[in-house]
Amino acid sequence: MDDHVTPRRVVIIGGGFAGLFAVRALRKAPVAVTLVDRCAHHLFQPLLYQCASGILSSGQIAQPLRAVLRRHENLQCLLATATDVDVAGRVVHAVRPDGSSLALPYDDLIVGIGMKQSYFGHDEFAEHAPGMKTLDDALDLRRRIYRAFEMAESADDPQERAAWLTFALVGAGPTGVELAGQIREIAGLTLDREFSGIDPSQARVLLFEGSDAVLAAFGPKLARRAARTLGKLGVEIRLGSIVTEVDDSGLTVRRHDGGTERFEARTVLWTAGVEAPPFATTLARAAGAEQDRAGRIMVEPDLTVAGHPEIRVAGDLMSLNKLPGLAEVAMQSGAYAGRRIRHDLEGRTRTARPFRYLDLGSAAYICRGRAVVKMGRFEASGLPGWLIWLCIHIVFLTGFRSRLGALASWAVVFASGSRRERAFTSPRPQDDAADAASLSGTPADPKAERHDPSRPA
Amino acid sequence: MDDHVTPRRVVIIGGGFAGLFAVRALRKAPVAVTLVDRCAHHLFQPLLYQCASGILSSGQIAQPLRAVLRRHENLQCLLATATDVDVAGRVVHAVRPDGSSLALPYDDLIVGIGMKQSYFGHDEFAEHAPGMKTLDDALDLRRRIYRAFEMAESADDPQERAAWLTFALVGAGPTGVELAGQIREIAGLTLDREFSGIDPSQARVLLFEGSDAVLAAFGPKLARRAARTLGKLGVEIRLGSIVTEVDDSGLTVRRHDGGTERFEARTVLWTAGVEAPPFATTLARAAGAEQDRAGRIMVEPDLTVAGHPEIRVAGDLMSLNKLPGLAEVAMQSGAYAGRRIRHDLEGRTRTARPFRYLDLGSAAYICRGRAVVKMGRFEASGLPGWLIWLCIHIVFLTGFRSRLGALASWAVVFASGSRRERAFTSPRPQDDAADAASLSGTPADPKAERHDPSRPA
């Protein structure tokens, strides 16, 4: 703790890239920083799909916030969920994991809680088509992907088997493309020779996209190349397709030409859009801030909320010049928000400049040896793109202990297709009828078909 | 698949050490093997506590069964929970994860489903004092251990803080001793310098044991040494203590002298005993087999159930000559059960010998650099014991891809105390009131105490 009697109190909500970089920018400032997050870890979200697909372990993409920030003498990390802000009284209200309340007074507030999955008004899709924003989501996806092959193996009915071997992804942005590539690689490579009742390489991966291109943000040239690579990998791309219905056995799609089509797919994953979490609206109402269509909070060029120079929003949740929801934007805006508080204290307000995002480019992984990269006018795809992707991710992982471990995992999957983190645990109770049946001692169904272990594969 | 028209069908229930070694013994036999387990992975249970404590990842201790056994041409792995056996019709009934039924006809049956946690008739303790038998259990323990420190950090009330920093373990067998050592090491070493509101090294670890020794199975000399090492580590050992009550804030203990004592501990872990899972009783009734007091199934010297030469029980679930529930017993008995079926087919029945357990000794890890090992008359403790422990575990992990990874993780924790797999996800809904409160938009408690980030540590 600092020697100041009453140091300025900075509360930071959210330990993602924005919050982490804000804390770092404040490391040498004479302030008392409180970082509050509903998770105890910082999640390296850009690699979440690799945790879902069994390449990386949870520990490789999720580091305890307090371990990452252990050298910050002016910081206290708290595990709690922010629920409300008293803007006039300058207090954040939060709730601890046991349900008890916490009040966190602040002089400065930085909000970087990110966005959540959006179903564009169809929240009922969520049950059958989970998204991937948290570590829990990734572990749930891992369970769904690998369990689908298990279910196909024990299915006697060919239609049921085919439905378990059909994976539908909704939304062909980076996450949809990355997951589509991962599932085809698992099917064709990782699971090779592991099954006797099915041929996992026959698994269909359908990638639905409402617009007319995959990875549209990367421009037409890279989009075409990515589509070609996905096609070679066996991913079936369906452009101009809007999902109108999702249930537990598949989904219905409306095409551009007005026709509708039904697909039997027991695994549907939603990678289509984001919206602000409920706390954003709570904050916006309390501070009189405006929100954009997705619920992001409109900020001034210095990332403050209009009329509230003590409240800043950074990362995916801020709405400023249509900046994209990228890790790099979150890092830079979080660092800016922290730096502005430090500069204020140092009396360096006259030279203050508005936030400017320095575009360092973006990358999307397609499969081993294939990625697309766009940095300003520079574009790369295929193996060169993948090598750049690799370098970027090694650099970004710097400072995390898991860097070497991730490199080892990538070497293994590149060389052999083998994935070392495939273990999944039993699903949450509502997902699984079997647990209930087995616990309540339900007698076996006498009409059950005989499963013949000697039937040909 | 084999060329035989109707190969003998062997169904193996359980993919633990017994099931795995039975499958391996049958690799070259002209049989059709079906391995059915409610998990898709083989769990390396002896290292479960290291997954709970954040040293090893789930993938390092849980390998997909079908990946481990991919070279077995005569094997089909199925993800399903066995619920019943039709002994006359020779059919195992199982239920798939989606609740549908599966009927598995067999000519030979091997049952190796292991044991579950026992609360000695107090199943109501389970809610507040979870055990550690599955991967899910280990991840739940990891969450409880690390979250307890998080809760202590955000607690304003000194009594609440002390209760969160008190960990109670019930049962001082290997699992209790290993977990006690792990928690003290986490508190004193791993979490060093990470907290500002609490001193994690002050965490109390209480180890309750009904008998008069820790690790009683290792004999009085090693038991004394283990107790001394635990004492130096800061573990408070309470021998002759029977737990009579557990609730969400602590536990009550009855001492040998008849007195009772209450301990406020928000984390209580149960490592005290085992009993047979319900399926054991189902099988015993169907086959007319006897069960011992813990529900284990009594077997003949060739591991068959009396009157049923086609049903064998192996591993922890078998009751034979009071053999202990050790991985080594499970491996040897599983291999024996598989081998007997192969020898039958090869006509080698006349030379058949009863199952003989070759005691290779046992080991218990206490903390880094300290373990106790007993191999017949040979005993070792301290650093020599730990080095033997290390060699044993490297040898046993042979054949698993995670061997190198585990070695790397052990090197890190040995050298620095740092643990790389500390990430925990949000608890199951019933464990956590905060999620509910935050989702339903419950307003913050206006009486909540102000949390002052600048209060001294």
Side-chain angles (χ1 to χ4, degrees):
Chain A
M1 274 295 153
D2 206 86
D3 276 342
H4 287 71
V5 180
T6 49
R8 192 149 145 185
R9 294 162 302 184
V10 182
V11 171
I12 300 173
I13 308 177
F17 285 115
L20 196 66
F21 277 70
V23 172
R24 285 182 172 162
L26 287 163
R27 182 171 173 189
K28 302 260 163 100
V31 292
V33 182
T34 303
L35 176 63
V36 57
D37 195 301
R38 62 184 303 163
C39 292
H41 55 255
H42 168 69
L43 184 66
F44 196 87
Q45 226 173 12
L47 288 175
L48 208 46
Y49 68 96
Q50 295 209 355
C51 179
S53 72
I55 296 177
L56 299 180
S57 72
S58 357
Q60 283 175 320
I61 60 158
Q63 318 277 336
L65 279 164
R66 55 178 76 259
V68 173
L69 300 168
R70 70 198 302 166
R71 294 185 202 288
H72 289 250
E73 306 279 330
N74 62 356
L75 172 70
Q76 183 169 40
C77 292
L78 296 175
L79 179 66
T81 305
T83 51
D84 206 355
V85 190
D86 172 359
V87 168
R90 299 199 177 175
V91 178
V92 169
H93 293 284
V95 59
R96 297 163 73 211
D98 68 349
S100 62
S101 310
L102 213 56
L104 308 168
Y106 63 84
D107 298 304
D108 286 284
L109 176 65
I110 299 175
V111 181
I113 56 170
M115 299 285 274
K116 70 183 195 69
Q117 203 73 61
S118 169
Y119 290 87
F120 308 117
H122 287 282
D123 286 349
E124 72 277 11
F125 290 177
E127 187 191 344
H128 304 297
M132 188 182 66
K133 299 298 281 178
T134 66
L135 183 57
D136 249 336
D137 292 343
L139 296 176
D140 181 45
L141 257 55
R142 184 194 284 177
R143 175 189 303 133
R144 285 172 190 260
I145 293 168
Y146 286 103
R147 203 176 45 176
F149 290 97
E150 298 289 340
M151 292 301 292
E153 174 79 351
S154 62
D156 277 321
D157 173 47
Q159 279 190 308
E160 189 200 335
R161 204 180 305 150
W164 280 115
L165 287 177
T166 305
F167 298 83
L169 291 133
V170 185
T175 307
V177 165
E178 283 159 349
L179 278 175
Q182 290 293 298
I183 297 174
R184 277 297 308 157
E185 271 196 359
I186 289 170
L189 209 58
T190 305
L191 300 182
D192 186 40
R193 298 192 50 200
E194 289 193 7
F195 289 81
S196 56
I198 59 165
D199 177 359
S201 70
Q202 298 300 308
R204 289 181 75 187
V205 176
L206 302 158
L207 182 58
F208 296 99
E209 167 62 35
S211 80
D212 58 358
V214 299
L215 295 180
F218 286 75
K221 197 169 130 197
L222 288 182
R224 268 197 312 276
R225 289 198 189 160
R228 204 163 55 214
T229 308
L230 286 168
K232 277 188 197 158
L233 203 59
V235 175
E236 302 172 40
I237 301 171
R238 305 267 175 160
L239 301 174
S241 300
I242 306 289
V243 173
T244 56
E245 213 185 305
V246 188
D247 54 46
D248 60 3
S249 67
L251 75 177
T252 307
V253 163
R254 195 180 66 239
R255 295 190 308 264
H256 261 181
D257 62 15
T260 63
E261 209 172 344
R262 168 81 191 172
F263 296 88
E264 298 302 317
R266 291 290 176 98
T267 311
V268 183
L269 308 178
W270 195 268
T271 56
V274 291
E275 65 186 29
F279 181 78
T281 304
T282 306
L283 172 67
R285 281 188 194 147
E290 280 186 81
Q291 292 177 274
D292 71 8
R293 264 181 59 194
R296 291 182 198 88
I297 294 176
M298 311 277 232
V299 293
E300 302 292 299
D302 65 351
L303 308 192
T304 58
V305 169
H308 288 281
E310 80 283 9
I311 303 178
R312 287 178 172 83
V313 181
D316 291 6
L317 187 68
M318 77 180 180
S319 180
L320 178 72
N321 305 331
K322 305 206 169 184
L323 283 172
L326 293 175
E328 191 53 43
V329 176
M331 293 177 192
Q332 292 182 26
S333 59
Y336 175 90
R339 212 161 50 226
R340 280 302 296 267
I341 294 171
R342 196 184 70 217
H343 286 185
D344 266 13
L345 285 167
E346 292 167 355
R348 290 162 64 181
T349 45
R350 287 205 324 194
T351 55
R353 284 181 300 186
F355 173 63
R356 288 278 289 278
Y357 170 57
L358 177 65
D359 185 359
L360 296 178
S362 49
Y365 181 101
I366 301 176
C367 59
R368 52 176 199 164
R370 299 281 178 272
V372 294
V373 175
K374 188 179 169 69
M375 294 165 166
R377 282 188 191 169
F378 174 79
E379 298 186 340
S381 60
L383 190 62
W386 184 80
L387 289 170
I388 297 170
W389 173 91
L390 191 66
C391 294
I392 294 174
H393 283 79
I394 293 169
V395 171
F396 271 106
L397 279 167
T398 303
F400 292 116
R401 275 201 199 82
S402 52
R403 196 180 62 214
L404 270 181
L407 266 176
S409 303
W410 291 336
V412 169
V413 75
F414 188 85
S416 70
S418 159
R419 286 153 198 266
R420 305 196 287 185
E421 292 289 340
R422 284 165 52 185
F424 60 91
T425 62
S426 58
R428 292 162 222 166
Q430 67 271 25
D431 292 345
D432 201 328
D435 275 323
S438 105
L439 288 174
S440 65
T442 309
D445 181 358
K447 289 177 299 184
E449 274 188 78
R450 289 215 157 198
H451 187 89
D452 184 354
S454 60
R455 79 175 151 80
Chain B
M1 275 296 152
D2 207 84
D3 278 343
H4 287 70
V5 182
T6 48
R8 192 151 144 184
R9 294 163 303 184
V10 181
V11 170
I12 300 173
I13 308 177
F17 285 115
L20 196 67
F21 277 71
V23 171
R24 286 183 171 159
L26 287 163
R27 182 170 173 190
K28 302 260 163 101
V31 292
V33 182
T34 303
L35 176 62
V36 58
D37 195 300
R38 62 184 303 160
C39 293
H41 56 254
H42 168 70
L43 184 67
F44 195 86
Q45 225 172 13
L47 289 174
L48 208 47
Y49 69 96
Q50 295 210 354
C51 179
S53 72
I55 297 177
L56 299 179
S57 72
S58 0
Q60 284 176 318
I61 60 156
Q63 318 278 336
L65 278 165
R66 55 179 76 258
V68 173
L69 300 167
R70 70 198 300 166
R71 294 184 201 288
H72 288 250
E73 305 279 329
N74 64 357
L75 172 70
Q76 183 169 40
C77 292
L78 296 175
L79 178 66
T81 306
T83 51
D84 206 355
V85 190
D86 172 359
V87 168
R90 299 198 177 175
V91 178
V92 169
H93 293 285
V95 59
R96 298 163 73 211
D98 67 350
S100 62
S101 310
L102 213 55
L104 307 168
Y106 64 84
D107 299 304
D108 286 284
L109 177 63
I110 299 175
V111 180
I113 56 170
M115 299 286 273
K116 71 184 195 68
Q117 202 73 62
S118 168
Y119 290 87
F120 307 118
H122 286 283
D123 286 349
E124 72 277 12
F125 291 176
E127 187 191 344
H128 304 296
M132 188 181 63
K133 299 298 280 178
T134 67
L135 183 56
D136 249 338
D137 292 342
L139 297 175
D140 181 45
L141 256 56
R142 183 194 286 177
R143 173 190 304 133
R144 285 171 189 260
I145 294 168
Y146 287 104
R147 202 175 49 176
F149 290 97
E150 298 288 340
M151 293 301 293
E153 174 79 351
S154 62
D156 278 321
D157 173 47
Q159 278 190 309
E160 189 200 336
R161 204 180 305 148
W164 280 115
L165 286 177
T166 305
F167 298 82
L169 291 133
V170 185
T175 307
V177 165
E178 283 158 349
L179 278 174
Q182 290 293 298
I183 298 174
R184 276 298 306 158
E185 270 197 358
I186 289 170
L189 208 60
T190 305
L191 300 181
D192 185 41
R193 298 193 49 200
E194 290 192 8
F195 289 80
S196 56
I198 58 166
D199 177 0
S201 70
Q202 297 302 307
R204 288 182 75 188
V205 176
L206 302 158
L207 181 58
F208 297 98
E209 166 62 35
S211 79
D212 59 357
V214 300
L215 295 180
F218 286 75
K221 196 170 131 201
L222 288 181
R224 269 197 313 275
R225 290 199 187 160
R228 203 163 57 214
T229 308
L230 286 167
K232 278 188 197 157
L233 202 59
V235 174
E236 302 171 41
I237 301 171
R238 305 267 176 160
L239 300 174
S241 300
I242 306 289
V243 173
T244 55
E245 212 185 305
V246 187
D247 54 46
D248 61 3
S249 67
L251 75 177
T252 307
V253 163
R254 194 181 66 239
R255 293 190 309 263
H256 260 181
D257 62 16
T260 63
E261 208 171 346
R262 167 83 189 171
F263 297 87
E264 298 301 316
R266 291 289 176 100
T267 310
V268 182
L269 308 178
W270 195 268
T271 54
V274 290
E275 65 185 28
F279 180 78
T281 306
T282 306
L283 172 68
R285 280 187 197 149
E290 279 185 81
Q291 293 176 273
D292 71 10
R293 264 181 59 194
R296 290 183 199 88
I297 294 176
M298 311 276 231
V299 294
E300 302 291 300
D302 65 351
L303 309 192
T304 59
V305 169
H308 288 281
E310 79 284 8
I311 303 178
R312 287 178 172 83
V313 181
D316 290 6
L317 186 68
M318 76 180 183
S319 180
L320 179 71
N321 305 332
K322 305 204 170 186
L323 283 172
L326 294 174
E328 191 53 43
V329 177
M331 292 178 193
Q332 292 181 26
S333 59
Y336 175 90
R339 212 161 49 227
R340 281 301 298 266
I341 294 171
R342 197 183 71 216
H343 286 184
D344 267 12
L345 284 167
E346 292 168 354
R348 292 162 63 181
T349 46
R350 286 203 326 195
T351 54
R353 284 182 299 187
F355 173 64
R356 288 281 287 277
Y357 170 57
L358 177 64
D359 186 0
L360 296 178
S362 49
Y365 182 102
I366 301 176
C367 59
R368 52 177 198 163
R370 298 282 177 272
V372 295
V373 175
K374 188 177 168 70
M375 295 167 165
R377 284 187 190 172
F378 173 80
E379 297 186 343
S381 60
L383 191 62
W386 184 80
L387 289 170
I388 297 171
W389 174 89
L390 192 67
C391 294
I392 294 174
H393 283 79
I394 292 169
V395 171
F396 270 107
L397 279 166
T398 304
F400 292 116
R401 275 202 199 82
S402 52
R403 195 181 61 216
L404 271 179
L407 267 175
S409 304
W410 291 336
V412 168
V413 75
F414 188 84
S416 71
S418 159
R419 286 154 199 265
R420 306 197 287 185
E421 294 288 342
R422 283 164 53 184
F424 60 90
T425 63
S426 57
R428 292 162 222 168
Q430 66 271 25
D431 291 345
D432 201 331
D435 276 322
S438 105
L439 288 174
S440 65
T442 308
D445 180 358
K447 290 176 297 183
E449 274 187 77
R450 289 217 158 197
H451 187 89
D452 185 356
S454 59
R455 77 177 153 80

